[in-house]
Amino acid sequence: MLIVQKYGGSSLADSGRILSAARRITRLAQQGAQMVVVVSAQGDTTDDLIAAAGQINPRGSAREMDAYMAAGEQLSAGLMAMAIGALGYPAVSLTGWQAGLHTDGVHGNAEIQWLEDSRIRQELEQGRVVVVAGFQGIGPNGDITTLGRGGSDTTAVALAAFLQADMCQIFTDVDGVYDRDPRRYPGATRFGRISYDRMLRLIENGAQVLHDRSVELAKRHGICLEVLSAFTGAPGTLVGPLE
Ligand code: ASP
Ligand code: MG
């Protein structure tokens, strides 16, 4: 059983949350699952990085912005691997390029093209949890690329597709997909299941729970996604072929 789990920035916002995610991951690994974990930058790190770069050079090149912004996810990956290690389980962190995620060369909005999966496979064979920095890959000329805001979801779906994972779970700060933003509309209703197409329409209308490309990729590869809360452990919303 190979499980891909993705943790968003709010699910990793402080050390308590990282450790709580690490406990869930470690439990599944101890039960025998091969675990590939994709992490976003902690909390508002990416916004802070963009603001800081803007103070140095508001027109910094897209290449340098990618090199700089990708660091947010790398910090999370290192911390998560150390958190899992602290619980006594072997784990290794990988950047996008170490994980073999090859993209086109569109800095700031790159598209994943293929996965050179040998490193991840080798680490899984050795019995390690593999923690992959989300939101990033390597372009055709060897430079770091990023996938667009919210792109860690797409990292997770791409890994699930290329590794033929049995499950792809997206952990976030809401307990699933709602017809409206539940943080703004208390009367919003949650879907138990939603189709790719309806999910894509919600995103078009402003829903931010998933990166649009992640849903397109899931649809293309027939990957069933589960969107669920990192805090409650309750079942979330399944995004799949049927409503
Ligand atoms: N950290 C990046 C962002 O804030 C990517 C992600 O969270 O998925 O957009
Ligand atoms: Mg997100």
Side-chain angles (χ1 to χ4, degrees), residues 104-121:
D104 62 21
V106 183
H107 284 292
N109 197 25
E111 221 168 315
I112 295 173
Q113 295 187 322
W114 51 286
L115 175 74
E116 163 45 52
D117 69 356
S118 53
R119 179 70 189 271
I120 294 184
R121 294 278 184 206

Side-chain angles (χ1 to χ4, degrees), residues 39-241:
V39 288
S40 293
Q42 287 188 278
D44 297 326
T45 300
T46 305
D47 292 326
D48 297 344
L49 292 176
I50 291 170
Q55 286 176 2
I56 299 284
N57 180 352
R59 282 176 301 281
S61 79
R63 180 195 182 277
E64 299 312 329
M65 280 304 286
D66 276 0
Y68 179 63
M69 282 195 299
E73 272 67 16
Q74 295 177 29
L75 297 175
S76 290
L79 281 179
M80 180 59 85
M82 287 191 273
I84 296 166
L87 299 172
Y89 207 90
V92 61
S93 68
L94 299 176
T95 63
W97 67 265
Q98 287 177 305
L101 280 159
H102 290 264
T103 71
D104 62 21
V106 183
H107 284 292
N109 197 25
E111 221 168 315
I112 295 173
Q113 295 187 322
W114 51 286
L115 175 74
E116 163 45 52
D117 69 356
S118 53
R119 179 70 189 271
I120 294 184
R121 294 278 184 206
Q122 193 184 313
E123 297 293 350
L124 290 172
E125 294 292 297
Q126 304 284 319
R128 298 193 183 100
V129 171
V130 178
V131 183
V132 179
F135 177 57
Q136 56 180 273
I138 183 170
N141 61 2
D143 285 340
I144 294 172
T145 53
T146 64
L147 310 180
R149 297 304 306 270
S152 300
D153 295 333
T154 300
T155 304
V157 174
L159 290 175
F162 289 121
L163 296 169
Q164 299 189 301
D166 300 287
M167 258 166 119
C168 183
Q169 295 181 308
I170 309 286
F171 286 92
T172 179
D173 53 1
V174 289
D175 59 354
V177 177
Y178 284 75
D179 59 348
R180 286 162 294 170
D181 184 347
R183 286 167 295 203
R184 286 175 48 208
Y185 302 95
T189 48
R190 193 173 69 90
F191 294 95
R193 255 176 182 282
I194 185 173
S195 67
Y196 299 124
D197 292 329
R198 181 129 182 217
M199 186 68 236
L200 287 167
R201 283 199 298 277
L202 284 178
I203 294 172
E204 250 176 55
N205 292 325
Q208 292 193 332
V209 63
L210 286 173
H211 192 225
D212 53 354
R213 270 193 193 151
S214 72
V215 181
E216 284 157 9
L217 199 61
K219 181 178 173 185
R220 199 161 346 124
H221 292 272
I223 304 284
C224 200
L225 301 180
E226 186 179 7
V227 177
L228 68 175
S229 162
F231 310 134
T232 66
T237 298
L238 288 175
V239 185

